[in-house]
Amino acid sequence: MKTLSLDGSWKVRFSDFQRGRPLYADMDIVDPVRYLDATVPGEIHLDLMNQGIIPDVFSGINVLAARWVEEQIWSYRHLFDAPADARSGRAWLVFDRLDYAAKIVLNGQPVAEHANFFHPLRVEITGKVRESGNVLAVHLDSGLYHVSDKPAEGWFHGNAEDARLHKRHWLRKPQSQFSWDWAPRLINVGIQGSVRLEYSVDDLLIGQFAPVASVDANLKHARVRARLFATNLTDKPIEAKLRVCIDDTDAATVQPVVLPPGESHVEATVSLVSPKLWWPIGQGDQPLYTVRASLQTEATSYEIPTRQVGFRQVRVIQDPHPAGGRYFRFEINNRPIFCKGGNYVPADLIISAIDDDRTRTLIDRAVEANFNLLRVWGGGLYESEAFYDECDRRGILVWQEFIFACGRYPTCDENFQRSVITEAKHQIRRLAHRPSLIAWCGNNENEMGHWSWGMGERGVIAPDYAWYHLTLPRLLNADHPEVYYQPSSPFSPDHLTPNHDLVGDQHPWSIGFVDMDFRRYRDMPCRFPNEGGILGPTSLPTMLRCLPEGQQFVQSLAWQVHDNSVDSWREQSTVDAMTDFWLGMNCREMSIEQYVYWAGLIQGEGLREYIDNFRRRAFDTSAAVFWMFNDAWPATRSWTIVDHALNRTPAFHHVRRAFAPVRVVLIESVDQVVIYGINDTPNPLIANLRFGLFNTTGEYLLDQTQIGVNIPANASIPIARFDRAGWIDPTTQIAFATLHTPDGNPITRNRLILPLYKEMKWPAPKINMSVKNDHATFTCATFAFNVCLDLDGQTALADNFFDLYPNQPNTIPWPQPQPPAILYVGNPASTGEA
Ligand code: BMA
């Protein structure tokens, strides 16, 4: 197969059907004056911004003014000359990603239509290309016209009035572009993937290569079942030999195969003894093996692009739990894995703006925050190759959803169903070799009986029930039967409600929207919490990008456009009220910088409670996955720990510490304080534990040390307890625990504060700081709460938003040339500013 790339500079013209009519019966002549420049692959908003025609849609309220873009037809044009071989043999046009409804016209002749962002288009154009001056026209509609005559009524629950306009449920593109609580409507339009001319004189057209690696229960015998999809372009069967081998091993085979006319697949299996096992990060290495294949016919030898696989066994244990319900626990290579992570959404509202560097940086941040899992949420994307490459390489597990979220979908419509079946097959085959992929999930929150989306009354089968419960599992069974499938998230088998705390996976949202008292996380017993979170500010530079001059205050118009929509759920914003509820401070009286600190502190403490609670319950609970990791646009308030600019938000460090491989968590029972030691590493830990009670003014009321505390590998166990009776005044007294290595190096620490922060009696802290040998040491004679060194989040600091326990020094690596500056301390009595 030979290819001619058609990427690069194209021309594009707008039309609203009155002006600039799209000329579907295209003529060859292009009037350059009437066209703008466009980049392929690319997106129209990006082109318009780059040419200064529309302002930065991510700043101020510009996104609203850019809505006209999604209401036009965009007619792309490209001229190309075709090599002689493309004229003598067969030829195809291949579009990797068209966004969205496309009419494709070559030299005045319509050649194809397409309407699915999630799978490529191949159009045969044999005999239709000429030597020079071929005119390729692609007319694109963002999708709005395409579905304007489709019904909108009845597909969404509640007040989803905006769906009447965009009807996103009919459109196979990222659903969050149609406005979500954390991002505004910005419907992409453009040729968002590569375009090429492919041509050959061969009898076969090679399609997807999908090797699946597996290893048996004793982890000794591995195999790769390699499947190659191909089209026999002749009308007779073709005999061939499929060779498959794994580089640097003796696993190799040659399989005689026959390809009948039309589309089919061939396969061969190779075996390997004692493979090096692939582990999630923190549990072992991530060895990847290269699978190589070729197909030899009498006439031709086809070299197939290689794929990397990893050998690991994944099981999901859902045995009955003695205390009720069922476990929901991933075991990898027979070892239970506690899943720590967040929800991944598209890294930009404009998909073409996401380059591989941005994706890799995001995975870096996930690793920095001690994640081992990302849930790729069902309202976004099947992610890029770079995303899965990086997850495979670094050991980040992936829970991948099919792109259906928060609504009903017209899966009974024949055309819709045909389109989503093609999409699902394409994506299943595309990702089948990935060791990081441990689960496919049917959708986000669409299970029948779900509290929000009204899929049907209890016990009434909604039409798309069959799609998630029959069709998708059958498609997986055909192409990737080894992978675990969860019909929805959340989903609780055997229960009418899909979000049962003790069965399946959960979205524990009783806290986070209206109820902001995240102390209630402490009693939550979920088996596999998969999303739930607390709103907070993004980094200071990102906040300022949202808010042009004159609008840099809480609830300015630009603020509201960039705010999470939970803010509007009630006339009295619960999100605004959070600073008052926790701190007794009015956010409307704060500067943007003060808001970033104070509200960031609250979000960080909330996410810490979520993680601490679920981790200490391992393995009655087997995950702490929160909502959400990253942002798609600059938000003033969001759920995230990494914002659109990839800056760490204030909550980042709370999460990073809470996810550290070794952690202590304190809880209160009726008469005791119990200290849990959590060790996620594969090795037992011997450490020294100091614990007790101190007064915020510095005095230790109880101060005990246990030498040689043993925390077994991969476990959470109570390691100490003390009598609750001595804890007389929680407004001045805090319970604490610190773990040190036997030679005295600090490992981790934590504390338990019982009242709301505004109810505490805080002393004004006097913090001493010294910098020596690239380390900074902080000490304070009293308790200092959430010491802040940075609000920008651009640099990977060893620590930030940390506490100082009375007279317990905190030393952190500080390789920066400037000594640290303490920007804020969270003891409100001290007025905040240090
Ligand atoms: C859940 C998610 C998202 C949403 C989040 C926060 O429903 O699945 O749809 O963004 O809550 O509101």
Side-chain angles (χ1 to χ4, degrees):
M1 179 70 72
K2 291 180 179 164
T3 59
L4 173 74
S5 168
L6 301 180
D7 288 352
S9 195
W10 288 45
K11 292 287 179 192
V12 75
R13 188 177 177 200
F14 87 102
S15 162
D16 60 6
F17 288 98
Q18 294 293 341
R19 278 157 202 83
R21 282 171 179 254
L23 302 169
Y24 294 136
D26 271 288
M27 296 164 302
D28 292 0
I29 302 151
V30 177
D31 177 355
V33 178
R34 294 158 71 124
Y35 282 77
L36 300 168
D37 291 326
T39 301
V40 171
E43 199 275 341
I44 297 289
H45 293 87
L46 283 183
D47 287 325
L48 297 175
M49 282 194 278
N50 287 339
Q51 292 168 54
I53 296 170
I54 59 171
D56 177 11
V57 291
F58 290 148
S59 173
I61 64 167
N62 295 340
V63 71
L64 298 176
R67 280 210 172 165
W68 65 273
V69 177
E70 63 202 40
E71 291 175 3
Q72 311 298 310
I73 298 293
W74 293 94
S75 294
Y76 281 78
R77 291 286 187 106
H78 191 60
L79 297 181
F80 67 94
D81 298 338
D85 291 356
R87 285 174 280 126
S88 52
R90 286 183 180 252
W92 295 266
L93 283 170
V94 181
F95 298 86
D96 279 346
R97 183 173 266 179
L98 287 165
D99 192 5
Y100 178 79
K103 290 190 171 67
I104 294 152
V105 182
L106 178 65
N107 296 329
Q109 238 185 304
V111 291
E113 296 193 4
H114 186 72
N116 190 319
F117 176 91
F118 298 124
H119 70 83
L121 169 69
R122 170 181 291 275
V123 194
E124 181 154 9
I125 49 156
T126 303
K128 292 179 181 154
V129 272
R130 54 194 183 212
E131 190 176 350
S132 63
N134 291 285
V135 183
L136 175 58
V138 179
H139 303 281
L140 286 180
D141 148 28
S142 69
L144 293 178
Y145 291 106
H146 186 67
V147 297
S148 56
D149 60 351
K150 302 283 189 210
E153 212 59 63
W155 298 92
F156 298 98
H157 167 82
N159 61 350
E161 296 291 334
D162 58 327
R164 289 161 184 250
L165 211 51
H166 56 64
K167 305 177 185 179
R168 68 169 169 86
H169 51 298
W170 288 97
L171 292 167
R172 298 308 300 151
K173 57 193 289 180
Q175 300 287 282
S176 47
Q177 286 175 10
F178 296 87
S179 182
W180 221 260
D181 61 296
W182 39 269
R185 187 173 115 192
L186 193 158
I187 309 176
N188 287 197
V189 56
I191 301 178
Q192 295 224 49
S194 284
V195 183
R196 61 196 167 273
L197 175 69
E198 292 192 353
Y199 50 99
S200 87
V201 289
D202 301 339
D203 292 338
L204 284 180
L205 181 63
I206 301 298
Q208 285 177 290
F209 179 45
V212 177
S214 56
V215 58
D216 66 358
N218 67 18
L219 307 177
K220 286 281 179 295
H221 296 98
R223 56 179 216 149
V224 173
R225 176 183 173 224
R227 303 203 311 155
L228 178 66
F229 294 82
T231 307
N232 174 350
L233 301 164
T234 74
D235 54 9
K236 295 191 185 59
I238 295 177
E239 291 186 1
K241 287 196 173 112
L242 175 64
R243 286 168 201 276
V244 176
C245 67
I246 304 176
D247 281 7
D248 305 321
T249 72
D250 53 11
T253 191
V254 180
Q255 179 75 43
V257 293
V258 179
L259 293 105
E263 285 179 29
S264 66
H265 75 267
V266 292
E267 66 176 78
T269 298
V270 288
S271 306
L272 192 65
V273 179
S274 301
K276 285 185 253 162
L277 296 176
W278 186 97
W279 290 96
I281 188 168
Q283 300 294 324
D285 294 337
Q286 292 78 41
L288 296 173
Y289 289 84
T290 302
V291 182
R292 200 172 287 280
S294 64
L295 189 69
Q296 177 88 47
T297 66
E298 213 178 306
T300 321
S301 177
Y302 303 87
E303 286 304 314
I304 314 300
T306 58
R307 292 275 180 274
Q308 293 208 300
V309 299
F311 294 100
R312 83 289 183 269
Q313 199 207 48
V314 182
R315 294 196 305 154
V316 182
I317 308 299
Q318 297 189 72
D319 295 341
H321 188 286
R326 294 175 178 279
Y327 289 97
F328 191 96
R329 183 177 79 228
F330 282 93
E331 286 192 3
I332 297 190
N333 304 332
N334 299 329
R335 188 185 296 167
I337 302 295
F338 190 91
C339 296
K340 301 184 289 188
N343 277 265
Y344 196 92
V345 301
D348 201 289
L349 268 180
I350 301 177
I351 303 302
S352 288
I354 310 169
D355 60 16
D356 292 351
D357 276 352
R358 192 185 313 193
T359 302
R360 283 191 279 266
T361 306
L362 276 165
I363 308 291
D364 265 356
R365 299 275 189 274
V367 170
E368 189 187 332
N370 291 313
F371 283 25
N372 64 8
L373 179 137
L374 288 165
R375 170 178 174 235
V376 182
W377 168 75
L381 279 173
Y382 308 98
E383 279 297 331
S384 64
E385 296 301 325
F387 174 87
Y388 302 103
D389 280 349
E390 207 56 11
C391 291
D392 286 351
R393 201 174 69 75
R394 307 200 68 170
I396 296 287
L397 303 171
V398 176
W399 169 298
Q400 175 70 49
E401 293 180 1
F402 289 98
I403 305 304
F404 302 93
C406 302
R408 290 177 49 207
Y409 284 86
T411 52
C412 291
D413 179 275
E414 217 179 307
N415 287 331
F416 186 91
Q417 186 170 101
R418 202 175 303 125
S419 177
V420 285
I421 286 176
T422 308
E423 165 192 325
K425 282 185 179 170
H426 173 76
Q427 295 296 344
I428 293 167
R429 292 169 189 173
R430 173 179 165 244
L431 300 183
H433 66 285
R434 298 283 181 187
S436 56
L437 179 74
I438 57 163
W440 268 106
C441 170
N443 63 67
N444 173 74
E445 296 185 349
N446 289 355
E447 182 60 17
M448 184 179 73
H450 191 273
W451 69 87
S452 306
W453 305 111
M455 280 276 301
E457 298 307 311
R458 284 183 171 206
V460 176
I461 306 287
D464 37 357
Y465 183 86
W467 173 251
Y468 304 119
H469 286 266
L470 297 173
T471 314
L472 281 175
R474 278 181 192 155
L475 295 175
L476 279 165
N477 205 38
D479 281 334
H480 192 181
E482 295 82 356
V483 74
Y484 177 75
Y485 176 69
Q486 177 89 339
S488 178
S489 180
F491 178 70
S492 309
D494 323 329
H495 280 266
L496 274 178
T497 158
N499 197 32
H500 192 291
D501 269 355
L502 301 182
V503 190
D505 73 314
Q506 293 76 32
H507 293 189
W509 275 121
S510 56
I511 298 155
F513 292 141
V514 176
D515 183 354
M516 299 290 178
D517 190 350
F518 46 71
R519 291 174 298 181
R520 285 195 253 271
Y521 281 138
R522 295 172 189 170
D523 301 320
M524 251 186 208
C526 305
R527 294 284 180 239
F528 195 95
N530 223 347
E531 62 162 79
I534 298 288
L535 282 164
T538 58
S539 70
L540 183 56
T542 298
M543 299 284 282
L544 295 176
R545 184 180 179 194
C546 302
L547 307 172
E549 273 201 50
Q551 296 208 52
Q552 293 181 352
F553 57 93
V554 178
Q555 297 293 356
S556 68
L557 181 59
W559 174 286
Q560 291 177 54
V561 170
H562 287 260
D563 203 351
N564 191 281
S565 74
V566 170
D567 173 72
S568 326
W569 286 16
R570 295 177 163 207
E571 183 55 29
Q572 294 289 322
S573 158
T574 33
V575 197
D576 276 6
M578 208 165 35
T579 47
D580 183 29
F581 178 75
W582 275 100
L583 300 164
M585 298 168 84
N586 180 355
C587 71
R588 308 267 174 107
E589 290 166 5
M590 294 179 190
S591 68
I592 297 300
E593 185 187 291
Q594 287 168 332
Y595 184 80
V596 171
Y597 173 71
W598 289 109
L601 173 162
I602 297 169
Q603 182 191 15
E605 293 292 342
L607 290 174
R608 179 193 55 72
E609 292 281 3
Y610 182 94
I611 296 166
D612 278 351
N613 169 59
F614 294 127
R615 278 193 80 186
R616 71 120 184 135
R617 293 169 189 268
F619 281 92
D620 299 324
T621 299
S622 304
V625 177
F626 68 92
W627 186 263
M628 64 193 200
F629 170 56
N630 63 317
D631 261 323
W633 96 310
T636 47
R637 282 194 283 222
S638 193
W639 308 99
T640 53
I641 62 161
V642 176
D643 67 25
H644 178 251
L646 310 185
N647 297 339
R648 299 152 188 85
T649 75
F652 182 90
H653 287 274
H654 299 89
V655 169
R656 178 188 60 75
R657 286 190 299 261
F659 275 151
V662 176
R663 177 80 172 155
V664 281
V665 171
L666 298 91
I667 62 157
E668 183 202 18
S669 71
V670 183
D671 51 359
Q672 287 188 318
V673 173
V674 184
I675 298 156
Y676 280 77
I678 302 163
N679 175 12
D680 271 358
T681 75
N683 307 308
L685 178 85
I686 309 274
N688 297 342
L689 173 71
R690 180 177 172 191
F691 64 94
L693 268 180
F694 58 68
N695 207 307
T696 50
T697 50
E699 177 194 350
Y700 281 83
L701 310 164
L702 177 74
D703 192 358
Q704 295 194 354
T705 299
Q706 283 180 19
I707 304 293
V709 170
N710 188 344
I711 312 177
N714 209 16
S716 164
I717 57 159
I719 49 174
R721 47 186 86 225
F722 63 87
D723 200 344
R724 171 83 184 65
W727 199 351
I728 292 157
D729 179 9
T731 65
T732 57
Q733 296 162 0
I734 295 174
F736 77 98
T738 59
L739 267 190
H740 287 78
T741 60
D743 50 5
N745 291 319
I747 305 173
T748 184
R749 66 215 169 98
N750 207 344
R751 38 59 177 172
L752 179 61
I753 296 175
L754 295 181
L756 295 169
Y757 304 142
K758 67 182 175 193
E759 293 160 358
M760 293 291 291
K761 299 198 184 83
W762 302 97
K766 285 212 171 48
I767 298 172
N768 293 316
M769 185 180 68
S770 63
V771 182
K772 208 164 68 190
N773 301 334
D774 286 345
H775 282 75
T777 299
F778 303 83
T779 41
C780 186
T782 60
F783 177 66
F785 184 49
N786 275 273
V787 177
C788 171
L789 308 180
D790 172 66
L791 291 171
D792 292 353
Q794 285 156 343
T795 314
L797 298 182
D799 212 354
N800 195 14
F801 281 81
F802 55 82
D803 296 341
L804 293 172
Y805 301 174
N807 293 315
Q808 295 192 31
N810 187 27
T811 299
I812 60 171
W814 192 265
Q816 269 79 267
Q818 301 297 326
I822 296 173
L823 307 181
Y824 287 87
V825 182
N827 302 18
S830 68
T831 73
E833 273 90 345

